[in-house]
């Protein structure tokens, strides 16, 4: 009995230290370094503060928690020899070993086989070395094992670099570009990397399942004040605690410091403080206006940060129809009349795009303005609408309508809910109208899901199975069946409308639907 008591007593200090370190979350590395230094040889309090870059009060607190495990002498503080094994096992981090050449070679392959940049989304490709440097910097400055990292946009594939470097990292990618999400999914599956992808246009909100769920948020946003403000707002919504951090890539030309000032002011307005700025961390294949480089801003949220998060502008880019200076313009009476001829109704105006919540049926045929659609809006609006008949005004070159194959692919996804009619070059040569008419019937399990696209997949799929089962399924049995059918259990917490298009199509045409 006395031996067991002594063992518990000896572990009391290290367990108190571990508890304090756990509360620090991803910011715990300096705290661990305090004990790493004391494990080697004695250090003065001043040295521990300076080398570990931790506040003096925090270092004093750690030494106090360790109790008799830390010895104090003329040369400073050191870990007692009897305590070393416990601290090596439970507190000290293993040294980073091994080269990164193989990882960079893999990243070069990932980038070369990935989708081409889209100018309208302000894509400028970062070099594979940049993705690796970002991941290395994160690993060396934060406690990443089991940490939750969210990437708001990831054309540069930093997510894959992070998982290659730190296999225990839990990564989620949110992007508007379906091609990028499909490429990341395919690459991650091929190489066994734990990356979960989610579709969103951040101008319309962060998917609810991602709110307050992340320790670190990384983004390389559009370099406009509006773009940085939007992505900064969504980062705040995704942060889990005061120890969360936003890592934001941004650069401006020395010829236009006023723009840099506006962007920095936007981050300050949101309630961030600049913890540090890592100069020239990012290099690009392009972006010559800013010297093909940008800095990494490490942003800490202040106590007032969440209160300032709100709806942001949709015009955030520097190119294309959603550029800050761009506008689709008001719909002319002639345009509305032409749309009415196509739909067979009187069209008094165009409704704005947005799929944050279900769009209910109306007495007349709603016509939504999708002229600035970068590609994915049409499908998301079809998922969001629950009207007998609805229409969408799109560019005549919209990727979902420009060929019979593209039209068939869209119909393949949404066909259990809507019958689609594609009126190209109508009402004029630059526009097209897509008319969706409900099929009338429920459409089986797929139709049940499509009519409830804002419900959590786990719940709606379970209820769909119960409603369409020949036997009397219980909720538990249906839930177990759904869990066995889904390829990635992380998808069960998403809404159907948040699934990347390739996984949405696969789910709707899977064996259990």
């Amino acid at each position: 009995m006395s031996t067991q008591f002594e063992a518990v007593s000896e572990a009391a200090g290290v367990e108190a230290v571990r508890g304090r370190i756990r509360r620090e979350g991803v910011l715990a590395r300096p705290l661990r370094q305090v004990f790493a230094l004391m494990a080697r040889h004695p250090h003065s309090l001043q040295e521990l503060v300076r080398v570990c870059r931790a506040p003096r009060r925090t270092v004093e607190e750690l030494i106090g928690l360790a109790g008799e495990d830390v010895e104090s002498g003329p040369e400073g503080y050191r870990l007692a020899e009897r305590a070393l094994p416990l601290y090596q096992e439970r507190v000290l981090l293993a040294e980073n070993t091994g080269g990164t050449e193989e990882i960079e070679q893999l990243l070069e392959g990932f980038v070369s086989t990935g989708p081409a940049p889209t100018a309208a989304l302000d894509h400028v490709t970062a070099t594979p070395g940049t993705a690796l440097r970002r991941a290395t910097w994160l690993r060396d400055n934060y406690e990443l094992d089991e940490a939750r990292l969210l990437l708001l946009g990831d054309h540069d594939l930093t997510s894959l670099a992070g998982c290659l470097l730190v296999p225990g990292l839990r990564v989620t990618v949110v992007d508007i570009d379906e091609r990028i999400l499909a490429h990341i999914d395919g690459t991650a599956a091929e190489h066994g990397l734990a990356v979960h992808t989610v579709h969103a246009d951040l101008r319309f909100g962060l998917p609810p399942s991602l709110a307050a769920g992340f320790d670190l948020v990384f983004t390389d946003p559009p370099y406009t004040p509006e773009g940085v403000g939007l992505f900064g707002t969504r980062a705040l919504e995704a942060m889990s605690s005061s120890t969360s951090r936003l890592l934001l890539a941004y650069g401006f030309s020395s010829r236009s410091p006023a723009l840099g000032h506006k962007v920095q002011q936007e981050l300050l307005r949101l309630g961030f403080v600049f913890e540090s700025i890592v100069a020239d961390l990012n290099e690009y294949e392009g972006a010559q206006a800013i010297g093909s480089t940008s800095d990494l801003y490490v942003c800490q949220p202040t106590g007032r940060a969440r209160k300032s998060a709100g709806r942001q502008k949709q015009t955030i880019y520097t190119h294309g129809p959603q550029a800050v200076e761009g506008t689709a313009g008001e719909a002319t009476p002639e345009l509305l009349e032409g749309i009415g001829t196509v739909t067979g109704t009187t069209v008094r105006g165009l409704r704005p795009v947005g799929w944050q919540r279900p769009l209910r049926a109306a007495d007349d045929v709603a016509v939504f303005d999708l002229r600035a659609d970068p590609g994915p809006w049409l499908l998301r609006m079809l998922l969001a609408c629950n009207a007998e008949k609805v229409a969408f005004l799109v560019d005549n070159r919209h990727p979902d309508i420009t060929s019979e194959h593209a039209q068939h692919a869209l119909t393949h996804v949404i066909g259990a809910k809507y019958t689609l009619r594609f009126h190209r070059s109508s009402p004029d040569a630059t526009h097209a109208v897509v008319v969706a008419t409900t099929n009338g019937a429920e459409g089986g399990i797929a139709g049940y899901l499509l009519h409830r696209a804002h419900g959590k997949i786990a719940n709606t799929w379970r209820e769909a199975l119960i409603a369409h089962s020949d036997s009397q399924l219980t909720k538990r049995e249906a839930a177990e069946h759904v869990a066995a059918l889904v390829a990635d259990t992380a998808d069960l917490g998403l809404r159907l409308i948040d699934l990347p298009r390739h996984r949405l199509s696969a789910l709707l045409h899977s064996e259990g639907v």
Side-chain angles (χ1 to χ4, degrees), residues 64-292:
L65 289 172
E68 295 181 359
D69 293 345
V70 173
E71 298 174 343
S72 175
E75 296 179 332
Y77 296 95
R78 67 174 300 161
L79 271 175
E81 187 173 347
R82 62 165 179 78
L84 277 174
L86 271 178
Y87 280 80
Q88 287 170 342
E89 176 189 350
R90 304 184 189 184
V91 173
L92 306 186
L93 290 173
E95 295 294 329
N96 296 318
T97 59
T100 57
E101 295 82 1
E102 183 179 351
I103 292 178
E104 186 162 3
Q105 287 177 2
L106 283 171
L107 289 171
E108 288 173 355
F110 297 166
V111 171
S112 66
T113 57
T118 300
L121 296 177
D122 281 6
H123 284 164
V124 180
T125 304
T127 64
T130 293
L132 182 56
R133 278 196 304 278
R134 290 170 174 174
T136 302
W137 191 91
L138 289 171
R139 180 199 65 187
D140 293 344
N141 287 273
Y142 297 107
E143 194 149 308
L144 292 189
D145 194 42
E146 296 300 316
R148 299 160 298 174
L149 169 65
L150 174 66
L151 288 104
L152 299 179
D154 192 28
H155 182 261
D156 303 326
L157 308 183
T158 302
S159 58
L160 300 177
C163 285
L164 286 169
L165 199 63
V166 185
L169 183 61
R170 295 148 59 190
V171 179
T172 300
V173 175
V174 174
D175 209 296
I176 186 177
D177 193 328
E178 300 280 12
R179 305 167 309 150
I180 290 171
L181 297 174
H183 180 59
I184 290 174
D185 267 357
T187 305
E190 181 181 353
H191 294 270
L193 305 176
V195 181
H196 187 234
T197 59
V198 180
H199 182 275
D201 187 326
L202 297 177
R203 291 169 288 189
F204 304 117
L206 187 76
S209 61
L210 305 182
F214 295 90
D215 306 302
L216 298 169
V217 181
F218 186 97
T219 187
D220 196 338
Y223 285 4
T224 61
E226 294 81 2
V228 171
L230 170 69
F231 280 64
T233 295
R234 301 302 175 230
L236 283 171
E237 294 168 358
M239 289 179 170
S240 62
S241 69
S242 60
T243 61
S244 299
R245 293 293 183 268
L246 167 63
L247 299 312
L248 183 142
Y250 175 68
F252 61 92
S253 169
S254 58
R255 300 169 66 92
S256 55
L259 176 59
H261 179 256
K262 286 182 180 179
V263 168
Q264 293 177 359
Q265 285 290 101
E266 185 66 18
L267 289 168
L268 294 172
R269 183 188 69 81
L270 289 174
F272 285 110
V273 62
F274 303 152
E275 200 168 69
S276 65
I277 299 177
V278 185
D280 300 331
L281 184 75
N282 311 289
E283 296 179 352
Y284 302 93
E285 301 290 350
Q288 295 182 8
I290 59 171
S292 298

Side-chain angles (χ1 to χ4, degrees), residues 169-513:
L169 183 61
R170 295 148 59 190
V171 179
T172 300
V173 175
V174 174
D175 209 296
I176 186 177
D177 193 328
E178 300 280 12
R179 305 167 309 150
I180 290 171
L181 297 174
H183 180 59
I184 290 174
D185 267 357
T187 305
E190 181 181 353
H191 294 270
L193 305 176
V195 181
H196 187 234
T197 59
V198 180
H199 182 275
D201 187 326
L202 297 177
R203 291 169 288 189
F204 304 117
L206 187 76
S209 61
L210 305 182
F214 295 90
D215 306 302
L216 298 169
V217 181
F218 186 97
T219 187
D220 196 338
Y223 285 4
T224 61
E226 294 81 2
V228 171
L230 170 69
F231 280 64
T233 295
R234 301 302 175 230
L236 283 171
E237 294 168 358
M239 289 179 170
S240 62
S241 69
S242 60
T243 61
S244 299
R245 293 293 183 268
L246 167 63
L247 299 312
L248 183 142
Y250 175 68
F252 61 92
S253 169
S254 58
R255 300 169 66 92
S256 55
L259 176 59
H261 179 256
K262 286 182 180 179
V263 168
Q264 293 177 359
Q265 285 290 101
E266 185 66 18
L267 289 168
L268 294 172
R269 183 188 69 81
L270 289 174
F272 285 110
V273 62
F274 303 152
E275 200 168 69
S276 65
I277 299 177
V278 185
D280 300 331
L281 184 75
N282 311 289
E283 296 179 352
Y284 302 93
E285 301 290 350
Q288 295 182 8
I290 59 171
S292 298
T293 61
S294 73
D295 306 328
L296 181 69
Y297 284 65
V298 183
C299 303
Q300 177 181 355
T302 62
R304 70 178 186 88
R306 293 187 184 277
K307 297 177 183 179
S308 63
R311 183 174 176 83
Q312 299 290 315
K313 296 180 179 179
Q314 291 184 26
T315 49
I316 61 172
Y317 297 108
T318 58
H319 302 88
Q322 287 293 324
V324 172
E325 296 83 3
T327 176
E330 292 294 324
T332 64
E334 293 77 15
L335 181 62
L336 295 177
E337 183 179 355
I339 298 170
T341 301
V342 173
T343 60
T345 59
T346 300
V347 179
R348 298 178 179 83
L350 301 180
R351 300 193 181 189
V353 66
W355 57 85
Q356 306 96 310
R357 56 186 62 87
L359 302 172
R360 302 299 180 187
D363 294 334
D364 55 350
V365 177
V367 181
F368 290 90
D369 186 358
L370 272 62
R371 286 176 289 173
D373 184 358
W377 289 2
L378 179 55
L379 172 59
R380 303 295 152 177
M381 291 297 291
L382 285 165
L383 291 170
C385 288
N386 282 313
E388 291 291 321
K389 186 177 181 180
V390 64
F392 307 94
L393 180 67
V394 300
D395 188 280
N396 204 37
R397 297 165 297 176
H398 191 285
D400 276 332
I401 71 169
T402 52
S403 69
E404 185 177 345
H405 174 76
Q407 294 175 11
H408 176 75
L410 180 62
T411 303
H412 182 69
V413 178
I414 207 72
K417 179 180 182 181
Y418 280 127
T419 296
L420 303 180
R421 301 291 182 192
F422 301 91
H423 301 271
R424 296 203 64 200
S425 301
S426 295
D428 55 42
T430 61
H431 296 104
V433 175
V434 179
V435 180
T437 307
T438 186
N439 290 334
E442 180 72 19
I445 293 177
Y448 189 101
L449 294 171
L450 287 168
H451 280 91
R452 298 161 180 81
H454 290 82
K456 186 185 293 187
I457 291 174
N459 297 339
T460 54
W461 199 350
R462 180 195 66 206
E463 297 305 318
L465 285 177
I466 293 172
H468 292 84
S469 175
D470 293 332
S471 59
Q472 196 77 14
L473 275 180
T474 67
K475 286 190 175 183
R476 179 176 179 178
E477 289 170 339
E480 290 174 349
H481 190 51
V482 168
L485 289 171
V486 72
D488 184 349
T489 54
D491 282 347
L492 294 176
L494 296 179
R495 305 177 302 176
L496 196 75
I497 204 165
D498 300 324
L499 274 184
R501 181 167 175 164
H502 63 284
R503 294 213 307 278
L504 172 64
S505 181
L507 185 153
L508 292 173
H509 296 90
S510 64
E511 182 181 346
V513 175

